[in-house]
Amino acid sequence: MKKTQFLVLTLSVMLAMVAPALAAQDQETSQGSYDVVVYIDGTTILAENGNGQIISDGTAGIDDSKVIQAAVKAVSNGTVVIQAGTYALNSPIEVGVSNPTSTPTPTPTPSGKPDLVVTDISWKPPNPEIGSAVTLKATIKNQGDAPTPAGTKHGVLFMFDDGAAGSGVWSDTYTASIAPGAWVTLTANGGSAGATWTAVEGTHTVKATVDDVNRIAESDETNNVRTEKITVSKAASTPTPTQTPTPTPTEDPSDVQEPYKAHAVPGRINFVDFDFGGEDVAYHDTETGNQGGYSYRTDNADVDIGERSGVNVPVVSHTYAEEWITFSGVQVAESGTYAATFYTSTTEDGKSFSVLVDGTQVATVNAPNTGSWYTFAPTTVQIPLTGGEHTVQIAMDTGWVDMAYVEFATAAPTPTPTATPTVTPTPTATATPRPTQTPVPTPSDDVYGADANPTGNPIGGGNGYNDIISRDDPRVKFIVDTRSELLSALQSARSGDVVYIEGNANIDMSGYFNVRVPAGVTVASNRGEDGAAGGRIFQTRLTNDNRPSEYWPPLFKPSGAGTRFTGLRIEGPDKTTSAPDLRCGIQTNYQMEVDNCEIWGWSGAGIAVYGTGGGSDMKSGGYFHHNNIHHCQRSGIGYGIVVANGAVSLIEANYFDYCRHAIAGDGHVENGYEVRYNVFGYNFPESNNAHRIDMHGVSTASGNVAGDRLIIHHNTFEAISTTDYCIAIRGIPRTGAYIDHNWIKYTGDPIGRTGVTTSQLNTRMYIGENKGPNGQTLSTLSQRIISTSLS
């Protein structure tokens, strides 16, 4: 299950080229000088770690990209050595390199002793019995100023599994890196590299030695060497029922789906134990071969070794969007809601996967950024299950998540949070007062501007809006007023559920991006109910808020179609025309509705809609209505609503102000919008190409194309003096632009266009009658189309 064709490594890695590769045994790099080495042995390319374990392999000249990619990914912070040779890369590999400008040469401490010293050796279980597996841990402390901060403790974990050495034998050597240039070696009873151990009766000597090549090494038992004694004894004799050995599962070569292991709820499911049956039956993998390289199974699913912090099993790795694994025959003890805790790792924000039970999606799990592929963290969601047998499927939404296991436990009933009365802070930017609109049942040919509003709701929403979701609405499944409650509710909510934000809530989402809202879920508050302002969700700029590298990372990002945001206040950190980077309030790739919200302070866009499609039915792409959208005005960007990459939207009865472009599009040939019954206020930036409604042009062989179908009617443009256009079409729409019955209160140019010849006006630009600043009808060509070029 691949990550991506371009491997972006955010950790510090050094690539080194060493002596030419003739044979593996002739080109070994000394143990301790690398974390992973890549080399060619005959017709095979291999990547192995410092202990000689194969991480990935393949056919030289064919699988070079895959193996090198696996090697780089396997190192969280250290050294990858690529032996000299000829490599054929069929896809780019991007490696982030962090080199300090200068590195001071370490010097010995006054005592002449090494700075890194062994402070402790521990083991689990504390009193091992014969036959048990023992886990050893050496703890090393830095006593000086290099190579790590003074006082830092390093815990180095060594796993000795049951098995191969035989009865009466415990003899092993294990070496691992703990810091740049420093290694620790742990030996038991003298040591014999490569052996494993089953505990036998007696007293055993464990020794940990630090070899810090940057320091002066001394054999000082209180510093870089430490020994401990472990005593293994017989357990008290107790009658034990005769156990029938459980056969170890082996791969079933057939395509018949059946459980790999028995699974029960409550209980734990290891993700590597998905069903037999193969590709497109038990699992779906978008790339051939086991990219993880760990031989737990013999099928081609990607499995990585389980020597990871916080987990003790092999993991499903190298995941990619639309991949999935299935577990059939899961036995649920009794009906109820279960707390499902997923253990995952990822180095990216905004990664998620879905949980399906018997083909129905029951949860979306947002995997936290753990900072390293080797660090796993838990995420808990609530999943309702009925008693009996079920099939569980894990489907990747985004990929780029390594997955260890899930634990199901009976969930304790969670009381609805009681709202704590708080004083709502006054937002930095106060919305500009709106003129009261009088609804008119239906527009007619003699009604211009937003006065024709037939929706039955006030333009901009708020007081008088009649589709408010109240706190006691039966669809409300979660009531929240804190960040943790909101995130937990979004993890657990299913299609049809409403997550209700208390009307007096002020939820600080600073430092949070790409917060997933599951398909079909509504996030609601009470804006306009008895004059309420609505629950406030806001973001401020932190000194280090881990902003993702996306163009304009959003606060909220739906995971599927049918989401709705209503009655909320969604506030960003940037109210002026300058901001150090771009941010977005809500970004979607799926059909979404946003209504009766106040949205402001977003330097990129308040709402961004990507690739939703929808054709002639604009509403099926996105429906944005009765919102107050303001102070999205960063110079050069600053969009209230933007459609892009083939998105369409119906934009209706909103109030826009203090935006550079209230509505914008990137010119994609599938883009479209219908803009109607909106009011564009008095306060748009001057001399900043601040068109109120905009569609960019895209250069093609046939000229500039500006979207597909643009319908702009019955809008009011309040500004009475401007240096810019109210509407700017920067090319030729594929189907056409239809502009009529707008009230343009401008003394400047009302409509701008470029790339449209006079002969095309009657075939691709349909400009009907619009009302001018003094109430006159704009009916002549010179009044309808003023400019032939736009900046």
Side-chain angles (χ1 to χ4, degrees):
M1 299 182 183
K2 67 183 179 181
K3 297 286 189 234
T4 178
Q5 290 298 324
F6 294 87
L7 178 64
V8 179
L9 185 67
T10 59
L11 303 168
S12 174
V13 175
M14 178 180 72
L15 298 182
M17 302 301 293
V18 296
L22 299 177
Q25 63 268 30
D26 297 327
Q27 59 172 354
E28 291 181 355
T29 304
S30 62
Q31 187 178 44
S33 63
Y34 64 88
D35 293 285
V36 175
V37 61
V38 178
Y39 61 90
I40 295 175
D41 185 6
T43 60
T44 303
I45 180 172
L46 304 100
E48 66 179 46
N49 65 18
N51 305 306
Q53 181 178 27
I54 301 299
I55 294 172
S56 181
D57 60 5
T59 302
I62 297 176
D63 298 319
D64 297 1
S65 290
K66 179 200 78 170
V67 174
I68 296 173
Q69 182 180 26
V72 174
K73 174 186 175 295
V75 178
S76 61
N77 186 8
T79 303
V80 175
V81 173
I82 300 179
Q83 299 280 20
T86 302
Y87 299 90
L89 302 183
N90 53 28
S91 62
I93 296 175
E94 185 174 339
V95 179
V97 179
S98 176
N99 292 318
T101 56
S102 63
T103 303
T105 303
T107 56
T109 57
S111 66
K113 298 175 181 178
D115 278 15
L116 288 168
V117 300
V118 182
T119 61
D120 187 38
I121 299 174
S122 59
W123 54 89
K124 292 181 179 180
N127 299 299
E129 298 173 353
I130 295 174
S132 64
V134 175
T135 300
L136 299 174
K137 184 176 182 180
T139 302
I140 297 90
K141 184 176 181 180
N142 182 22
Q143 304 284 37
D145 59 355
T148 54
T152 300
K153 291 184 178 181
H154 306 267
V156 183
L157 187 66
F158 305 89
M159 300 289 292
F160 292 83
D161 296 326
D162 291 348
S167 176
V169 178
W170 179 23
S171 185
D172 199 1
T173 300
Y174 202 104
T175 307
S177 175
I178 57 172
W183 292 72
V184 61
T185 300
L186 190 69
T187 60
N189 291 349
S192 175
T196 55
W197 177 63
T198 299
V200 296
E201 189 173 13
T203 300
H204 306 276
T205 301
V206 182
K207 181 178 180 180
T209 304
V210 172
D211 175 19
D212 182 355
V213 299
N214 292 320
R215 300 289 177 180
I216 297 174
E218 288 187 1
S219 296
D220 186 329
E221 292 291 316
T222 64
N223 285 274
N224 67 323
V225 179
R226 189 179 183 91
T227 60
E228 298 285 356
K229 302 289 186 180
I230 298 178
T231 300
V232 178
S233 58
K234 291 182 180 180
S237 177
T238 55
T240 304
T242 302
Q243 299 292 323
T244 302
T246 301
T248 301
T250 57
E251 294 302 323
D252 189 338
S254 74
D255 59 359
V256 176
Q257 183 175 5
E258 59 179 324
Y260 184 84
K261 286 184 178 179
H263 299 296
V265 174
R268 168 168 157 171
I269 298 176
N270 295 333
F271 289 125
V272 291
D273 295 331
F274 55 86
D275 283 357
F276 290 119
E279 170 65 27
D280 280 336
V281 176
Y283 68 91
H284 175 52
D285 190 349
T286 59
E287 187 171 75
T288 59
N290 178 359
Q291 303 304 306
Y294 185 63
S295 300
Y296 180 84
R297 306 173 62 114
T298 59
D299 53 23
N300 285 326
D302 302 325
V303 177
D304 209 342
I305 190 167
E307 291 180 356
R308 308 291 187 90
S309 175
V311 298
N312 56 0
V313 295
V315 301
V316 174
S317 64
H318 295 75
T319 59
Y320 195 64
E322 300 181 358
E323 295 180 338
W324 47 264
I325 52 178
T326 301
F327 306 83
S328 62
V330 177
Q331 295 291 334
V332 177
E334 60 182 353
S335 299
T337 298
Y338 290 84
T341 302
F342 293 81
Y343 287 80
T344 62
S345 71
T346 180
T347 60
E348 301 286 337
D349 294 322
K351 304 307 176 186
S352 68
F353 54 91
S354 296
V355 183
L356 294 86
V357 175
D358 301 328
T360 300
Q361 182 178 347
V362 297
T364 297
V365 180
N366 297 315
N369 184 341
T370 60
S372 167
W373 291 108
Y374 296 89
T375 301
F376 282 68
T379 303
T380 301
V381 299
Q382 306 296 315
I383 297 180
L385 296 169
T386 58
E389 184 174 297
H390 297 280
T391 295
V392 176
Q393 184 181 79
I394 305 299
M396 302 308 300
D397 299 330
T398 62
W400 208 259
V401 178
D402 280 5
M403 309 176 69
Y405 57 89
V406 57
E407 289 182 333
F408 287 90
T410 303
T414 302
T416 300
T418 301
T420 302
T422 58
V423 178
T424 302
T426 302
T428 303
T430 303
T432 302
R434 298 180 283 103
T436 303
Q437 302 295 322
T438 304
V440 176
T442 56
S444 62
D445 288 342
D446 59 354
V447 178
Y448 294 82
D451 285 347
N453 173 25
T455 65
N457 279 304
I459 290 173
N463 293 341
Y465 191 73
N466 60 22
D467 191 16
I468 297 171
I469 295 179
S470 298
R471 193 178 191 275
D472 57 356
D473 190 295
R475 294 171 294 176
V476 173
K477 304 300 182 185
F478 308 89
I479 299 177
V480 305
D481 66 354
T482 67
R483 180 174 62 205
S484 60
E485 290 172 353
L486 174 59
L487 294 174
S488 176
L490 291 176
Q491 288 275 11
S492 303
R494 294 182 296 158
S495 181
D497 290 349
V498 173
V499 177
Y500 185 85
I501 311 296
E502 291 281 23
N504 62 352
N506 285 280
I507 299 179
D508 187 351
M509 299 298 292
S510 302
Y512 284 76
F513 299 90
N514 290 294
V515 175
R516 293 285 181 166
V517 179
V521 168
T522 294
V523 183
S525 192
N526 65 342
R527 180 173 181 250
E529 185 178 53
D530 297 325
R536 174 174 171 249
I537 302 172
F538 68 96
Q539 189 181 85
T540 61
R541 288 185 174 272
L542 304 178
T543 302
N544 180 13
D545 56 10
N546 297 313
R547 178 189 181 277
S549 58
E550 303 163 55
Y551 182 65
W552 49 34
L555 171 54
F556 290 110
K557 190 170 186 178
S559 296
T563 56
R564 181 186 177 195
F565 297 82
T566 182
L568 299 160
R569 291 181 294 151
I570 302 174
E571 178 185 357
D574 306 311
K575 284 84 175 178
T576 69
T577 57
S578 63
D581 54 47
L582 301 180
R583 304 187 179 205
C584 178
I586 308 171
Q587 177 183 313
T588 186
N589 296 87
Y590 305 96
Q591 188 278 333
M592 172 180 75
E593 180 179 5
V594 181
D595 65 292
N596 190 31
C597 290
E598 182 182 4
I599 299 173
W600 78 104
W602 299 101
S603 53
I607 301 170
V609 193
Y610 286 90
T612 58
S616 61
D617 183 3
M618 305 291 188
K619 194 173 182 179
S620 67
Y623 186 29
F624 311 117
H625 60 104
H626 301 93
N627 300 290
N628 183 6
I629 301 176
H630 59 96
H631 287 88
C632 298
Q633 57 179 341
R634 183 185 185 272
S635 179
I637 308 290
Y639 307 140
I641 299 173
V642 61
V643 298
N645 295 357
V648 300
S649 296
L650 174 58
I651 302 170
E652 177 180 80
N654 302 284
Y655 188 86
F656 295 96
D657 211 354
Y658 291 98
C659 296
R660 178 172 169 267
H661 297 333
I663 300 167
D666 71 349
H668 189 286
V669 71
E670 301 291 340
N671 280 352
Y673 47 57
E674 182 172 1
V675 179
R676 65 190 190 191
Y677 319 129
N678 300 280
V679 174
F680 300 87
Y682 297 85
N683 304 288
F684 281 67
E686 294 285 347
S687 302
N688 191 22
N689 296 327
H691 326 304
R692 282 29 170 190
I693 300 176
D694 176 270
M695 180 61 73
H696 286 223
V698 176
S699 179
T700 69
S702 59
N704 273 6
V705 175
D708 177 33
R709 196 163 65 103
L710 316 178
I711 305 171
I712 304 168
H713 65 95
H714 293 95
N715 300 284
T716 297
F717 300 87
E718 291 286 5
I720 59 173
S721 178
T722 182
T723 59
D724 225 310
Y725 312 96
C726 64
I727 301 169
I729 311 300
R730 308 193 195 195
I732 308 169
R734 182 175 64 176
T735 299
Y738 307 82
I739 305 172
D740 66 273
H741 285 84
N742 299 287
W743 189 355
I744 303 168
K745 300 181 181 181
Y746 276 33
T747 57
D749 296 344
I751 302 172
R753 57 100 176 111
T754 184
V756 182
T757 65
T758 302
S759 63
Q760 292 168 326
L761 287 174
N762 294 325
T763 59
R764 308 288 280 279
M765 298 282 287
Y766 303 93
I767 313 298
E769 291 188 350
N770 297 279
K771 184 182 290 188
N774 298 316
Q776 77 275 26
T777 299
L778 300 179
S779 57
T780 65
L781 178 62
S782 62
Q783 290 172 314
R784 290 182 295 180
I785 299 293
I786 304 298
S787 177
T788 58
S789 65
L790 294 173
S791 57

